[in-house]
Amino acid sequence: MLRDPNAVTEDDLIVLGGALLLCLRDDHNGISVDYAEMADGADLQQDVTEALTNLPVSPTNPTIDPLLATFTRDDQFYEAMHALLAMTIPLATTNGADRAALGPTQIYVLTQLAAATTIWDCDMTLHDLLAERGLPTTKNKLNFMLAALGQ
């Protein structure tokens, strides 16, 4: 039986996690440079990270930890947080996220977002990404929500 080409398996996530680790570590072998030359100046890290936003929501996705480490190192790499939000917090089906149902990974991602500065000041799409998930759309409101959750 043929596999649904749109279905993402756990093996796919592991392969993507490995690809992400390769892209996000120091590029001593020039893969990013080769990619930029072949892709009209595109950035390999950014393109791989943006592709991760299409994965299904799964707080156990193995790419979460490398993305969190990358965002913690560089909070101007907005695409990392965009992917983290897309992979850990589903789109809202009501007027707000069920905050009581947020798991530890989701809370940790939101805590890292709340601790960042640059993304709140400069990312013009963050407000919409949070609103789509029924989450607070300002840093102060997110911190207030996290404090209410004991974070």
Side-chain angles (χ1 to χ4, degrees), residues 112-141:
Q112 295 305 306
L113 174 59
T117 301
T118 308
I119 192 169
W120 291 99
D121 296 334
C122 301
D123 183 1
M124 305 314 279
T125 61
L126 181 62
H127 178 276
D128 293 340
L129 292 171
L130 293 169
E132 291 171 347
R133 287 163 176 75
L135 294 168
T137 58
T138 68
K139 185 174 183 174
N140 287 339
K141 289 179 181 177

Side-chain angles (χ1 to χ4, degrees), residues 13-82:
L13 294 176
I14 291 168
V15 169
L16 283 169
L20 179 66
L21 287 171
L22 177 66
C23 293
L24 297 180
R25 71 177 188 205
D26 292 333
D27 186 9
H28 298 294
N29 56 13
I31 293 171
S32 294
V33 173
D34 292 344
Y35 181 83
E37 288 174 6
M38 293 185 315
D40 293 325
D43 183 278
L44 179 61
Q45 293 174 331
Q46 190 172 9
D47 287 353
V48 168
T49 303
E50 286 176 354
L52 294 174
T53 63
N54 297 311
L55 293 176
V57 173
S58 172
T60 61
N61 185 318
T63 61
I64 291 171
D65 288 336
L67 276 175
L68 276 169
T70 300
F71 183 74
T72 301
R73 231 182 11 258
D74 178 9
D75 72 352
Q76 293 181 13
F77 189 16
Y78 309 142
E79 294 82 8
M81 183 51 70
H82 296 179

